[in-house]
């Protein structure tokens, strides 16, 4: 029968583990974790991503007919050409390394000035479109400042100006917007949206014909 006295005697008879043994165990465990988490796992996940979803794994890059990369479908761009569709306001100029927003409130002076300046320019560029028809997403910054999408309404409201500058009929441009309108995720989440880069690529291809 094992008694407390016997257990105590057995414990006292055991030799203490040296600090060297502890250190060796720590070094072995660290080496295993470095190899497993720092080498094997990253290589395996990278290889798996390249096989299952190569486009997304490489940044969802979009190329023109010549195979030149012109951007990513995940990050918006500034389009200075007035004959192209324009995206949302970006306080960081769509710089991916500076993702974020200044988070201005509706009464912030800088926010009010930026909005009034945009509306003033809108009146000049789009004299045939009343201000009350201007969708709010064209005036506001997204949370990340990198949103590549606008609402279908924000694309449609730009058609009169673009049609006048390119000579492409308004009905043709409306069909183009319709073709590039993406639905809600899983049919339930989010809102319908238009990827500006994809839309402008299609517009440039159409205008070159």
């Amino acid at each position: 029968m094992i008694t407390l006295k016997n257990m105590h005697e057995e414990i006292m008879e055991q030799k203490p583990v040296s600090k060297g043994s502890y250190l060796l165990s720590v070094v072995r465990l660290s080496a295993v974790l470095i190899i497993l988490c720092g080498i094997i796992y990253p290589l395996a996940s990278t290889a798996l991503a390249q096989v299952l979803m190569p486009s997304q794994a490489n940044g969802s890059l979009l190329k023109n007919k010549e195979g030149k990369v012109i951007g990513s479908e995940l990050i918006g761009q500034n389009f200075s050409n007035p004959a192209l569709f324009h995206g949302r306001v970006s306080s960081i100029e769509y710089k991916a390394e500076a993702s974020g927003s200044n988070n201005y409130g509706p009464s912030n002076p800088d926010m009010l000035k930026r909005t009034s300046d945009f509306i003033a320019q809108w009146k000049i560029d789009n004299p045939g479109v009343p201000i009350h028809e201007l969708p709010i997403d064209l005036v506001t910054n997204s949370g990340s400042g990198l949103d590549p999408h606008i609402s279908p309404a924000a694309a449609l409201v730009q058609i009169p100006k673009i049609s006048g500058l390119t000579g492409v009929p308004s009905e043709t441009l409306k069909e183009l917007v319709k073709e590039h309108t993406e639905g809600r995720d899983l049919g339930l989440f989010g809102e319908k949206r238009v990827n500006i880069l994809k839309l402008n690529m299609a517009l440039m291809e159409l205008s070159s014909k």
Side-chain angles (χ1 to χ4, degrees):
M1 182 176 179
I2 299 176
T3 63
L4 291 176
K5 181 178 179 181
N6 293 336
M7 292 177 63
H8 177 71
E9 290 176 351
E10 289 180 4
I11 292 173
M12 294 300 295
E13 290 176 358
Q14 292 180 355
K15 295 181 179 180
V17 180
S18 66
K19 292 183 178 180
S21 297
Y22 278 123
L23 182 60
L24 184 59
S25 298
V26 171
V27 170
R28 287 176 178 172
L29 180 60
S30 298
V32 170
L33 290 176
I34 289 172
I35 294 173
L36 182 62
C37 300
I39 299 177
I40 296 177
Y41 174 74
L43 289 177
S45 58
T46 299
L48 193 62
Q50 290 293 338
V51 172
L52 297 179
M53 46 184 71
S55 176
Q56 293 89 330
N58 292 312
S60 299
L61 302 178
L62 297 176
K63 301 178 181 179
N64 59 16
K65 287 184 176 180
E66 291 73 33
K68 180 181 178 181
V69 175
I70 59 174
S72 169
E73 64 178 283
L74 303 177
I75 300 176
Q77 294 185 28
N78 277 323
F79 294 97
S80 58
N81 188 342
L84 295 176
F85 288 92
H86 287 235
R88 301 186 65 170
V89 176
S90 175
S91 56
I92 59 171
E93 300 299 322
Y94 290 107
K95 295 177 182 178
E97 71 277 10
S99 174
S101 172
N102 45 34
N103 202 28
Y104 287 153
S107 61
N108 184 281
D110 292 335
M111 174 70 170
L112 293 174
K113 183 179 185 306
R114 185 184 73 188
T115 304
S116 61
D117 289 346
F118 182 90
I119 291 175
Q121 188 62 47
W122 176 268
K123 290 179 179 179
I124 296 173
D125 296 337
N126 304 270
V129 181
I131 291 301
H132 68 269
E133 294 183 9
L134 178 61
I136 192 66
D137 53 315
L138 284 181
V139 185
T140 56
N141 191 85
S142 68
S144 66
L146 303 175
D147 193 350
H149 300 96
I150 59 175
S151 64
L156 292 171
V157 79
Q158 300 181 57
I159 285 179
K161 180 189 71 171
I162 294 173
S163 178
L165 292 173
T166 62
V168 179
S170 294
E171 290 303 318
T172 303
L173 291 174
K174 289 178 182 178
E175 284 298 318
L176 202 64
V177 170
K178 184 178 180 180
E179 291 172 5
H180 288 82
T181 297
E182 303 171 10
R184 295 180 173 86
D185 295 330
L186 301 178
L188 297 172
F189 305 106
E191 298 293 335
K192 292 183 178 181
R193 57 200 180 274
V194 180
N195 187 291
I196 287 295
L197 181 56
K198 289 182 177 180
L199 181 61
N200 278 334
M201 288 175 64
L203 174 59
M204 288 186 286
E205 183 177 348
L206 184 65
S207 301
S208 65
K209 292 181 179 179

